[in-house]
Amino acid sequence: MKKVLALILSLAMVLCLIPAVATATGEGNPVTPQEEPTNLVEIKVLGTSDIHGQLFATDYTADAASSGTYRRGLTRLSTYVNEQRAAYDNVLLMDTGDLVQGTPLTYYYAFYQETVDDPAMKALRTMGYDIFVPGNHEFNYGMTILQRQLNYLTSAATETEAQVAVSCANYLADETNNDDTKDWATWNGYAPYIIKEYDGVKVAIMGIGNPNVAKWDVPANWDGIYFANPIETYLHYEAEMVAAADIIIIASHSGINSDEDSDYMERLIQQTNTIDLVYAGHEHFNKVTEIENSDGDIVPVVSPYTKCRAIGDTLLTYNTETGELTVDAKVVNTENLELDEALVEVLKPYETATWENYMNEVLGTADGAFSALNLGTAPSAFMDLINAVQIWGAYDNTGENTPDDPSDDRPAQLSISAPLTSGDATELIPEGEIKLGDMFRLYRYENWFYQITMSGKEVKTWLEFAATKIQTDANGNPTVSSGDLTYYDVIYGAGFSYVIDYTAEAGSRVISMTYFGSEVLDDDEFTVVINNYRYNGGGNYVAYLNENGCEFIANDEDRIIYSTQYDMMQGEDKGQARNLLADYIREQEVISPIITSTWRLVSNADFILSGEQGLEIDYEHDDDGYLLWDVRLSELPENTALTSLQFDLAWDNTELELVGYIAPVDNNRIISPEINTDKGEELTTASELYYAFGSEVGVLFPDDVVLTLMFKVKDAVADGTQMDIAISNFRLSIVEPIDGVMADVDMTNMQFATVDGYITAQNVDKSQLQALYNADSALYNSATITDDLGTVEDGTMILSTAEGIIDANALAAALAVLNDPTATQAEVDAAYAALLAAFIAPHEHSVDTTLLELAIAYALEFMDSAEFDKCSDELQKEWEDALAAALAVLADPDKTQNECTAAAELIYSLEKTGESAVVIVFAGITLLAVLGLGYSVRRRFN
């Protein structure tokens, strides 16, 4: 046999004139065929694939109010099927797999409603499908669930439901079939092909399943099946199908050619000349592909997209006299069609129960929003949450699932995951209640996880492939496209950090990868959590590893420590990604958007100085104090300008709290708050610190750069405690030298030098100085120049404004004292006096503030005395309030004489103990003399 594939030219002409996907009008039937000669038989072949649970027209990332309004769903696609049945007498309807997995509706009924007819199978029976080919994802839920579903699908027809045949010819019974011998007995006895007859024309439809299921699922999920080669399978049945049928159609969940272990249809067509039409799923293609068979004739392969967005539509016209066959194939868009209300009525009870009994369950709350911004270019709280959940769930934490193997009773060190989102939303998890239905929006796939072993080289190479997804925008900034985010992996783990230079040559972009402060070596070994899709080679990470010096076998059982499918097989699917996330939130009750990852992206101006310096000290004081550690970078390149400096730090206990560090900028030593965590927050035992010098053009430094790290030592540390600290991986962001040309920077001679020191804490009160600084600084920053700018004899700059005359240098001096942890109380008081004298209001010459200034000095002196400590809490509060009020009056440019007098009298009216007021007033007069000097200098500018 072989019919001539006539009029194939018409198909080619159609494909040239319109896109591969033809759009349905949604307005009714196609043109009714005109009367044809009686020897021509028309057969309309309709096919769906990769529906992935999209039965009802619902977007499950939205809320329940939008149920049934989504633009795609089987309830819309069914309308097109009804139209074709009204137009043609002979209609063949097929589905080529991955029907169930993918939405809450099908998931809920698969796992939690085992006594209820499965909604996906009911939909196929209600619509009158002729044949179903199980996809690889049908096996995800385990053999018990799949067998229950298929038993219902193939059960006897009823008044409202058709019996649907199941065919997967290459799925054989493993009792009698193996690589060496085969009797071709099929799994469950399903027919390798079925014969349908239309007006005397016989059509053979063979189902081909994906042979790669054994690599993608745990053995228990495909128990009893031997997966035969699709080409070998077809050749075994080819002769008998040619003898039995006029037309041969392949319905396959093995795709065209994306994966040589999975997708066989191109090779099958090229090696045969008896196949007339192929419908192929799995790859989610949305087109008709023309492939030449062994005779050079064209065989169309119809790929009907996914999620009910399209349907395959082929008109076969067979001449019963000549055996000639015309094949006119296309893919039709079925989005936005009118709903098939009859199917809606059948599925509506399932949809309602899914929302009421499942999706709307409250799991916990988020005490802040988890942002979707900058996914892929910076650490995020959302990705840290996903990876933390993977580590939390991917081990035998009950000790029950694999009790004979204690090696899997420990969480992994690292976790690998991709954002799995476009990042278009501003909030992935909004603040407030979290419902179970939200899990389907946060994690789109029903993955499970493996805990495996990986070498340091493999982890680094994995990151190198992730780095290939990073691009630069028009401004040279790093970006990851929304389409790449699903394939852009980040790696997470306590103590693990890495730096990617996104401008470097591919394969050399990971310029640092550390674990608890030490650079990771190629032969280091880690335990890592990874999802099943990545582990079986999805996203091409495994292929990249093997192309770049690694030996990594996909689904290598020797690497596996634990699989969360062991949890799934307990009957409640606890090991599936979304359930792990839900269980984690239930256990935590409240989750917070905290970022703990320290990985980062840098540009080609960044260089790394690798190495490590340790410090051991014996703590000698049991009072609160500060530990200072000087780190010197020697032999910087000449005329080097730095824009930032980063380094990794690790210590052996949590008795230290990093509170800041002192860095040289313009030859000044300042306390820098630019730490990548909140100042004063207790850090973990390994952290990455970052300092920006505040200038895009960089800051020039002398030959040596000295940073002084400043730790607060906790009072729980006893005398003689030894602390071990390690610092490593200095990264200098270097911009062009002073001559304007980027120089090659030789880092080989740069070294660390460390000097340790200890200073005791100073019991000083800076509150009054801080309050005065805040008030004067606010005035200065908002000032508008109204007249002159002058300089007094000592070089101090004076700014005359509408609000008053302000000394900018005095403000800077006060800030330095505020930021100095070593400042004594005397230095703080002197800074306060200097700042007080550095401001004068325009109307001050008309108000006598002598008494008020004496009172302020009197209060300051008394509140710093031992006698003040003997006062009751209530009395101390009265002194503090009176002083604050006096300072406010003094700083007020519109103050009146009466306000000054009242504020002074309030201070003098307070009780005091012990000390002679005369002594205190004398000290105040002395301070006033200083104030008066500043007053006389500044009066010249009024």
Side-chain angles (χ1 to χ4, degrees):
M1 159 192 172
K2 192 58 212 156
K3 294 78 60 180
V4 178
L5 294 178
L7 303 180
I8 283 295
L9 214 47
S10 65
L11 168 64
M13 292 174 62
V14 169
L15 292 176
C16 291
L17 294 172
I18 62 174
V21 181
T23 302
T25 65
E27 296 178 355
N29 303 333
V31 177
T32 304
Q34 298 184 5
E35 254 187 64
E36 301 286 352
T38 56
N39 60 319
L40 295 181
V41 176
E42 290 184 328
I43 305 168
K44 180 58 76 79
V45 181
L46 302 177
T48 56
S49 188
D50 299 279
I51 289 175
H52 285 290
Q54 195 65 60
L55 310 179
F56 218 71
T58 297
D59 177 1
Y60 293 96
T61 67
D63 58 30
S66 300
S67 172
T69 64
Y70 196 37
R71 61 196 180 102
R72 65 182 71 126
L74 197 61
T75 50
R76 296 195 188 278
L77 183 147
S78 180
T79 296
Y80 187 82
V81 174
N82 294 339
E83 291 173 352
Q84 299 307 300
R85 282 185 171 141
Y88 295 95
D89 294 331
N90 303 318
V91 176
L92 170 64
L93 181 58
M94 311 182 298
D95 186 86
T96 55
D98 281 4
L99 167 68
V100 177
Q101 175 267 345
T103 63
L105 187 154
T106 50
Y107 183 88
Y108 173 61
Y109 279 91
F111 280 98
Y112 300 107
Q113 297 294 318
E114 63 272 12
T115 62
V116 179
D117 289 343
D118 184 86
M121 303 305 157
K122 180 175 283 291
L124 264 57
R125 287 171 62 89
T126 300
M127 290 177 63
Y129 272 76
D130 295 290
I131 188 170
F132 172 69
V133 180
N136 56 285
H137 282 291
E138 260 67 72
F139 294 87
N140 290 169
Y141 295 165
M143 188 58 74
T144 299
I145 291 175
L146 177 57
Q147 200 62 71
R148 184 177 76 235
Q149 293 168 333
L150 295 181
N151 287 344
Y152 168 45
L153 184 67
T154 57
S155 63
T158 68
E159 290 184 4
T160 57
E161 298 179 8
Q163 183 181 40
V164 182
V166 172
S167 178
C168 35
N170 60 318
Y171 287 6
L172 308 181
D174 67 354
E175 291 183 354
T176 55
N177 293 275
N178 53 57
D179 290 346
D180 298 322
T181 182
K182 297 178 182 66
D183 67 2
W184 296 99
T186 59
W187 169 57
N188 281 343
Y190 295 134
Y193 60 90
I194 63 171
I195 300 288
K196 301 285 289 186
E197 186 171 351
Y198 302 97
D199 297 333
V201 177
K202 294 181 179 180
V203 180
I205 308 103
M206 170 178 276
I208 295 289
N210 199 299
N212 225 22
V213 170
K215 295 183 179 180
W216 293 332
D217 263 292
V218 294
N221 282 14
W222 43 271
D223 184 43
I225 303 177
Y226 168 77
F227 299 96
N229 180 286
I231 297 175
E232 181 186 6
T233 300
Y234 181 80
L235 293 176
H236 174 76
Y237 292 105
E238 182 179 31
E240 64 181 75
M241 284 194 294
V242 167
D246 302 297
I247 299 170
I248 296 178
I249 298 174
I250 300 296
S252 173
H253 199 76
S254 174
I256 298 172
N257 57 12
S258 297
D259 182 339
E260 65 176 11
D261 294 326
S262 165
D263 306 313
Y264 282 80
M265 291 305 101
E266 182 178 64
R267 284 171 284 170
L268 174 60
I269 292 171
Q270 290 171 342
Q271 294 178 38
T272 60
N273 63 357
T274 55
I275 298 170
D276 297 298
L277 175 66
V278 174
Y279 272 60
H282 183 66
E283 292 165 306
H284 295 194
F285 289 164
N286 182 28
K287 60 183 179 179
V288 174
T289 304
E290 296 178 334
I291 300 175
E292 287 189 3
N293 67 11
S294 61
D295 287 344
D297 296 326
I298 294 296
V299 177
V301 180
V302 182
S303 302
Y305 216 0
T306 180
K307 287 281 187 178
C308 291
R309 299 169 72 176
I311 189 170
D313 181 322
T314 303
L315 181 61
L316 303 177
T317 304
Y318 185 76
N319 189 316
T320 56
E321 293 182 359
T322 65
E324 293 179 346
L325 177 68
T326 299
V327 181
D328 185 1
K330 60 186 176 181
V331 176
V332 178
N333 187 316
T334 54
E335 295 179 302
N336 300 315
L337 293 177
E338 294 296 321
L339 293 169
D340 177 357
E341 295 297 344
L343 186 60
V344 169
E345 184 177 354
V346 170
L347 296 178
K348 183 65 174 177
Y350 292 93
E351 173 78 0
T352 300
T354 298
W355 283 101
E356 292 180 351
N357 303 330
Y358 184 61
M359 294 281 282
N360 287 332
E361 177 194 347
V362 176
L363 303 175
T365 59
D367 62 7
F370 287 70
S371 174
L373 300 176
N374 301 317
L375 283 176
T377 58
S380 74
F382 174 70
M383 284 309 301
D384 283 0
L385 171 67
I386 295 297
N387 277 308
V389 169
Q390 292 184 186
I391 290 176
W392 173 82
Y395 72 102
D396 190 7
N397 47 37
T398 65
E400 298 175 357
N401 290 340
T402 54
D404 58 334
D405 185 6
S407 67
D408 61 16
D409 295 345
R410 291 183 297 276
Q413 296 164 288
L414 306 178
S415 174
I416 299 175
S417 187
L420 301 179
T421 176
S422 68
D424 293 336
T426 56
E427 295 177 355
L428 286 170
I429 305 177
E431 183 176 0
E433 282 187 346
I434 305 171
K435 295 182 179 180
L436 192 147
D438 295 330
M439 304 302 100
F440 290 83
R441 174 172 50 83
L442 299 177
Y443 203 106
R444 293 186 291 165
Y445 305 106
E446 289 172 2
N447 293 131
W448 64 91
F449 302 99
Y450 293 103
Q451 184 185 148
I452 64 172
T453 57
M454 292 180 70
S455 70
K457 181 179 181 179
E458 290 165 343
V459 172
K460 185 174 183 179
T461 307
W462 197 282
L463 283 175
E464 287 287 359
F465 186 59
T468 64
K469 311 297 181 184
I470 304 169
Q471 308 297 323
T472 54
D473 62 18
N475 297 319
N477 297 317
T479 182
V480 179
S481 70
S482 59
D484 278 334
L485 282 174
T486 301
Y487 303 97
Y488 174 73
D489 287 354
V490 299
I491 303 184
Y492 165 96
F496 183 76
S497 186
Y498 55 91
V499 182
I500 292 175
D501 183 346
Y502 58 91
T503 60
E505 184 179 352
S508 302
R509 292 176 178 167
V510 181
I511 56 177
S512 175
M513 190 173 76
T514 59
Y515 189 61
F516 285 104
S518 297
E519 197 71 25
V520 173
L521 304 178
D522 283 355
D523 58 359
D524 288 344
E525 185 171 286
F526 294 94
T527 54
V528 184
V529 179
I530 188 172
N531 70 39
N532 61 300
Y533 177 71
R534 284 288 191 267
Y535 196 40
N536 66 45
N540 296 318
Y541 278 82
V542 170
Y544 184 87
L545 261 62
N546 291 323
E547 292 166 2
N548 289 274
C550 301
E551 296 181 3
F552 195 105
I553 301 172
N555 298 294
D556 185 357
E557 292 188 5
D558 292 338
R559 288 180 183 263
I560 298 174
I561 299 171
Y562 189 76
S563 168
T564 63
Q565 280 209 322
Y566 298 141
D567 301 285
M568 294 170 69
M569 288 185 293
Q570 304 310 306
E572 294 184 352
D573 189 26
K574 291 298 184 183
Q576 186 267 343
R578 291 192 290 255
N579 269 352
L580 285 178
L581 185 56
D583 285 344
Y584 180 85
I585 295 172
R586 286 190 189 102
E587 180 177 290
Q588 298 295 314
E589 296 183 355
V590 178
I591 58 173
S592 302
I594 298 173
I595 299 175
T596 57
S597 293
T598 58
W599 65 267
R600 61 194 178 83
L601 306 182
V602 298
S603 67
N604 56 13
D606 294 289
F607 300 85
I608 282 198
L609 173 61
S610 295
E612 183 170 328
Q613 286 290 318
L615 171 67
E616 292 187 4
I617 67 163
D618 288 327
Y619 186 78
E620 298 176 351
H621 300 273
D622 56 5
D623 297 327
D624 278 357
Y626 294 95
L627 174 68
L628 302 181
W629 185 16
D630 288 345
V631 181
R632 175 175 287 105
L633 298 178
S634 302
E635 300 184 31
L636 282 172
E638 184 178 0
N639 292 328
T640 295
L642 304 182
T643 58
S644 67
L645 188 150
Q646 304 88 35
F647 51 92
D648 295 333
L649 186 73
W651 57 91
D652 65 347
N653 52 50
T654 56
E655 312 295 350
L656 299 179
E657 181 179 334
L658 184 71
V659 294
Y661 55 96
I662 304 171
V665 177
D666 296 332
N667 297 319
N668 293 320
R669 291 167 69 84
I670 64 171
I671 304 298
S672 170
E674 298 291 337
I675 305 171
N676 69 336
T677 185
D678 291 338
K679 185 174 180 180
E681 177 183 347
E682 184 173 342
L683 304 180
T684 59
T685 56
S687 297
E688 181 178 87
L689 308 177
Y690 172 81
Y691 176 71
F693 292 106
S695 171
E696 292 183 0
V697 298
V699 176
L700 287 172
F701 283 95
D703 291 340
D704 290 345
V705 174
V706 178
L707 289 179
T708 300
L709 305 182
M710 184 171 59
F711 302 89
K712 185 175 182 182
V713 182
K714 297 301 189 69
D715 56 9
V717 180
D719 282 346
T721 298
Q722 179 174 295
M723 300 175 186
D724 297 317
I725 309 174
I727 188 168
S728 63
N729 294 332
F730 268 86
R731 287 169 294 282
L732 308 177
S733 181
I734 301 177
V735 298
E736 56 188 29
I738 200 166
D739 60 4
V741 179
M742 175 66 75
D744 292 329
V745 179
D746 182 5
M747 292 289 191
T748 57
N749 295 323
M750 297 183 66
Q751 297 180 356
F752 296 104
T754 62
V755 179
D756 65 277
Y758 177 80
I759 56 173
T760 58
Q762 305 294 330
N763 290 320
V764 296
D765 181 6
K766 298 180 179 179
S767 60
Q768 302 302 328
L769 176 60
Q770 186 70 61
L772 183 59
Y773 172 80
N774 291 345
D776 284 4
S777 179
L779 280 175
Y780 184 82
N781 291 333
S782 64
T784 302
I785 297 176
T786 57
D787 37 53
D788 52 2
L789 183 67
T791 305
V792 297
E793 295 177 0
D794 63 358
T796 301
M797 294 302 297
I798 303 298
L799 178 63
S800 178
T801 74
E803 291 79 10
I805 296 175
I806 302 173
D807 184 339
N809 287 2
L811 279 172
L815 180 61
V817 173
L818 283 171
N819 285 334
D820 186 358
T822 68
T824 64
Q825 189 65 60
E827 290 171 326
V828 172
D829 292 344
Y832 178 85
L835 186 58
L836 195 63
F839 172 83
I840 186 167
H843 308 297
E844 189 171 7
H845 62 277
S846 61
V847 177
D848 185 358
T849 60
T850 303
L851 181 62
L852 179 58
E853 292 166 2
L854 277 171
I856 290 172
Y858 168 46
L860 285 170
E861 193 73 15
F862 174 67
M863 292 171 68
D864 191 40
S865 69
E867 296 302 317
F868 180 74
D869 295 335
K870 298 176 183 178
C871 295
S872 66
D873 292 343
E874 293 79 6
L875 185 54
Q876 289 185 2
K877 181 66 166 57
E878 291 182 21
W879 277 95
E880 291 168 355
D881 291 345
L883 177 61
L887 288 170
V889 170
L890 187 63
D892 184 0
D894 297 322
K895 59 183 170 288
T896 65
Q897 189 66 60
N898 288 340
E899 288 173 330
C900 291
T901 302
E905 288 176 348
L906 177 60
I907 291 176
Y908 286 117
S909 68
L910 295 173
E911 296 180 8
K912 51 192 177 299
T913 60
E915 291 284 346
S916 169
V918 175
V919 174
I920 298 174
V921 171
F922 177 77
I925 292 172
T926 303
L927 178 59
L928 183 60
V930 176
L931 296 174
L933 177 60
Y935 178 91
S936 65
V937 171
R938 285 154 180 75
R939 285 294 296 271
R940 292 182 301 162
F941 295 96
N942 281 334

